[in-house]
């Protein structure tokens, strides 16, 4: 008869061997964002938005980004979104004489309703659902009227800088990664299709984190906090089961790191409540602040300005 530890090891081996579905994302082939008039390239960091403390970390990120042009910040929702509207950020950059604008979504994934909001604002023919439309209207956010080309990049997705930031958060929580397991837990989307796309990218990130840190086992999943109650409950059950298996295999408390942009209810309250009574060491710090995120923005802007990586290009 297999011991509990042996059964847990077998289950983890089966999970590791399970093939992943290949998710492809169709994108509009971009035109080369060649400058008009020789002005600098402007950048807009656009994020979900939250309370003043949440927003402050994104605003601080903008001060660390050095692209050779002006950098603006916009928020999609929250009490401070009306003071950081997308169309106002575009207007300020236009007045500054930029030749083009690169829009960088400071979001974990390019597969969500909030990313669709950004696509809509950047000029893509996107149909938003009633909830996403309501969020924009509540803050007075509209598509800008501008003569400056807008170039939209992807969100973090499987960026190596995301793995770097998460690896540093995890290593700060333990001095013995070789003997421990790590669990990365994110917010996640509602739909099953978007969930599959998130997981395809985040598994790449988890593999990179394992190589960077030397943790014995690294897992990733999401609480799907805004999904219908049965979907969310099943997501939390799965996370708890996986963490339980990791603990059984290692015999040590599992390090848990949230995959969230800034500090808010999800990392401070939601995830700790979902993990209650589990044998974990929870490291609550979000992705911001971290120097890797500024480098990620700069890389996205350079690629977009060179015509190499924008998701779409909206001509004036």
């Amino acid at each position: 008869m297999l011991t509990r530890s042996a059964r847990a090891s077998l289950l983890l081996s089966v999970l590791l061997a399970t093939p992943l579905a290949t998710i492809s994302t169709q994108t509009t082939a971009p035109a080369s964002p060649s400058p008009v008039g020789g002005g600098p390239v402007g950048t807009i960091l656009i994020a979900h938005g939250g309370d003043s403390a949440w927003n402050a970390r994104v605003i601080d990120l903008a001060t660390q980004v050095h692209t050779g042009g002006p950098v603006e910040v916009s928020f999609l929702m929250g009490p401070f979104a009306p003071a950081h509207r997308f169309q106002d950020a575009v207007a300020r950059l236009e007045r500054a004489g930029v030749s083009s604008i690169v829009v960088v979504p400071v979001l974990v994934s390019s597969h969500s309703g909030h990313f669709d909001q950004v696509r809509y604002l950047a000029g893509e023919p996107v149909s938003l659902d009633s909830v996403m439309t309501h969020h924009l209207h509540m803050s007075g956010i509209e598509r800008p009227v501008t003569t400056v080309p807008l170039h939209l990049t992807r969100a973090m997705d499987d960026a190596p800088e995301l793995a770097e930031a998460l690896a540093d958060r995890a290593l700060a929580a333990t001095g013995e990664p070789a003997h421990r397991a790590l669990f990365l837990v994110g917010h996640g989307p509602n739909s099953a299709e978007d969930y599959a796309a998130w997981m395809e990218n985040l598994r790449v990130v988890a593999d990179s984190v394992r190589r960077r840190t030397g943790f014995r086992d690294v897992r990733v999943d999401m609480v799907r906090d805004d999904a219908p109650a049965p979907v969310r409950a099943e997501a939390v059950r799965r996370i708890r089961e996986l963490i339980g298996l990791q603990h059984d295999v290692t015999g040590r408390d599992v390090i848990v790191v949230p995959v969230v942009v800034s500090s808010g209810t999800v990392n401070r309250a939601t995830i700790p409540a979902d993990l209650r009574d589990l044998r974990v060491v929870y490291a609550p710090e979000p992705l911001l602040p971290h120097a890797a995120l500024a480098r990620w923005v700069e890389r996205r802007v350079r690629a977009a300005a060179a015509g190499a990586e924008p998701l779409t290009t909206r001509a004036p």
Side-chain angles (χ1 to χ4, degrees), residues 186-206:
H187 181 286
N190 294 353
S191 77
E193 182 180 11
D194 285 344
Y195 171 80
W198 276 63
M199 288 298 291
E200 183 181 23
N201 282 321
L202 288 178
R203 284 191 177 109
V204 173
V205 171

Side-chain angles (χ1 to χ4, degrees), residues 167 170-182 209-210 212-218 250 252-253 255:
L171 288 174
T174 180
E176 47 179 6
H179 302 290
R180 289 184 181 270
L182 169 65
V209 170
R210 182 169 55 245
R212 288 171 179 271
T213 60
F215 274 93
R216 181 172 174 181
D217 183 69
V218 180
T250 63
R252 296 170 185 260
D253 291 354
I255 307 300

Side-chain angles (χ1 to χ4, degrees), residues 41-313:
V41 173
T43 301
I44 298 177
L45 305 183
I46 183 164
H48 179 283
D51 59 21
S52 58
W54 197 102
N55 294 348
R57 299 192 183 213
V58 179
I59 293 170
D60 182 62
L61 172 63
T63 68
Q64 300 172 35
V65 170
H66 303 291
T67 62
V71 179
E72 291 283 344
V73 172
S74 176
F75 297 113
L76 293 168
M77 59 184 297
F80 299 94
H84 294 83
R85 301 185 306 177
F86 184 76
Q87 66 267 33
D88 298 334
V90 170
R92 285 191 293 271
L93 291 175
E94 190 170 21
R95 289 195 297 271
V98 301
S99 58
S100 62
I101 296 171
V102 178
V103 181
V104 182
V106 187
L107 302 170
V108 171
S109 177
S110 300
H111 304 275
S112 70
H114 293 302
F115 188 79
D116 284 343
Q117 287 177 310
V118 181
R119 293 175 61 202
Y120 169 82
L121 293 172
E124 281 203 350
V126 178
S127 296
L128 299 178
D129 64 30
S130 59
V131 174
M132 294 295 105
T133 301
H134 177 69
H135 287 168
L136 296 181
H137 288 171
M138 284 290 290
S139 299
I141 300 171
E142 302 173 345
R143 275 181 169 171
V145 177
T146 181
T147 60
V148 178
L150 304 179
H151 311 290
L152 173 62
T153 78
R154 294 179 296 128
M156 294 178 198
D157 293 338
D158 59 357
E161 296 89 350
L162 173 57
E164 180 182 347
L166 291 171
D168 285 350
R169 296 289 185 251
L171 288 174
T174 180
E176 47 179 6
H179 302 290
R180 289 184 181 270
L182 169 65
F183 201 95
L184 307 173
V185 57
H187 181 286
N190 294 353
S191 77
E193 182 180 11
D194 285 344
Y195 171 80
W198 276 63
M199 288 298 291
E200 183 181 23
N201 282 321
L202 288 178
R203 284 191 177 109
V204 173
V205 171
D207 287 343
S208 179
V209 170
R210 182 169 55 245
R211 290 192 297 270
R212 288 171 179 271
T213 60
F215 274 93
R216 181 172 174 181
D217 183 69
V218 180
R219 299 276 150 186
V220 62
D221 216 322
M222 292 165 284
V223 294
R224 304 181 72 179
D225 199 43
D226 295 329
V231 174
R232 187 187 189 285
E234 178 58 32
V236 173
R237 275 195 295 270
R238 175 176 169 79
I239 287 170
R240 291 179 63 89
E241 288 171 358
L242 287 172
I243 290 175
L245 289 171
Q246 287 181 308
H247 175 264
D248 288 345
V249 167
T250 63
R252 296 170 185 260
D253 291 354
V254 176
I255 307 300
V256 178
V257 174
V259 189
V260 294
V261 170
S262 193
S263 187
T265 302
V266 173
N267 69 306
R268 293 197 304 258
T270 301
I271 294 174
D274 291 333
L275 303 180
R276 187 177 294 116
D277 300 327
L278 291 178
R279 296 292 301 274
V280 301
V281 174
Y282 181 56
E285 275 299 294
L287 295 168
L288 292 176
H290 195 286
L293 272 294
R295 297 198 303 274
W296 165 73
V297 173
E298 292 163 359
R299 180 169 64 84
R300 286 283 196 253
V301 173
R302 284 194 304 270
E309 197 183 288
L311 180 70
T312 187
T313 296

